Amino acid sequence: MTTTDDHVELVAELVRVLETRLLDPLEILLASDEPLGPIRERLRVEAEVWAAQLLGADRERATLTAARLIGALFPGDAPFDPPTSWWRTALGRAVARATGHPAAAAVSYATAGAMLGITRQGVHDLVKRGKLDRHPDGGVTTSSIRDRLNRSQESTRATTRPDHQ
């Protein structure tokens, strides 16, 4: 279940990444941050919206938002392949819930562990027990990781609702 703290953490991270990846280079090119004031404020508001979309119950909207953010913030000619540590960030966790891995059908056990917030051995145990799907070419399917993240979120949500006590 996502909390207000999750939302606040994700907004702060989005603002940091937007500043570093978009606004700082513009400030260098323009030799001033003065024209960026209105853009900076708008991006802060949008970060709130994007965080709500990424953490919300609408999986399609979360997936589209994740794709837009990754495309804009992490451009490149190669498929998106962040380091394992990225999956432990607020944005990485939100993307994992929304899409699994946006550019891979399967990931290593270490990456799967980072996406799930558990150890590599924990991933191995979940695969062995049939709780995660092993990919025929090795590793773990990203769809099973995404499904597990969303299933645990849904079960937490169901057990904390007043009508389920």
Side-chain angles (χ1 to χ4, degrees):
M1 180 170 125
T2 59
T3 65
T4 301
D5 289 343
D6 295 330
H7 179 85
V8 168
E9 181 184 12
L10 181 54
V11 169
E13 184 175 321
L14 284 170
V15 168
R16 256 190 327 276
V17 174
L18 289 162
E19 289 276 343
T20 319
R21 299 229 174 219
L22 301 177
L23 297 178
D24 289 352
L26 279 174
E27 183 178 335
I28 291 166
L29 289 172
L30 299 174
S32 170
D33 72 341
E34 186 179 330
L36 299 179
I39 296 169
R40 182 172 276 113
E41 289 307 312
R42 174 68 187 266
L43 287 175
R44 284 191 179 117
V45 170
E46 292 296 330
E48 291 278 352
V49 173
W50 295 326
Q53 291 172 342
L54 284 168
L55 299 173
D58 184 339
R59 294 292 93 206
E60 185 177 341
R61 181 173 298 270
T63 299
L64 293 173
T65 301
R68 287 177 54 219
L69 288 169
I70 288 169
L73 298 173
F74 305 98
D77 295 332
F80 181 67
D81 190 21
T84 301
S85 60
W86 183 82
W87 295 104
R88 292 185 180 97
T89 67
L91 181 56
R93 292 189 311 266
V95 168
R97 278 192 300 272
T99 66
H101 190 299
V107 294
S108 69
Y109 281 41
T111 300
M115 292 170 80
L116 290 163
I118 61 176
T119 65
R120 206 173 125 209
Q121 182 61 44
V123 172
H124 180 72
D125 292 345
L126 289 172
V127 169
K128 203 169 159 182
R129 294 184 1 229
K131 304 287 183 176
L132 289 173
D133 298 332
R134 189 176 189 310
H135 193 274
D137 296 332
V140 180
T141 65
T142 57
S143 59
S144 70
I145 294 167
R146 181 198 61 231
D147 293 347
R148 180 158 185 87
L149 287 167
N150 289 322
R151 190 171 34 252
S152 63
Q153 190 176 17
E154 289 166 8
S155 65
T156 303
R157 195 178 301 138
T159 58
T160 57
R161 287 181 31 201
D163 58 330
H164 282 82
Q165 291 182 357

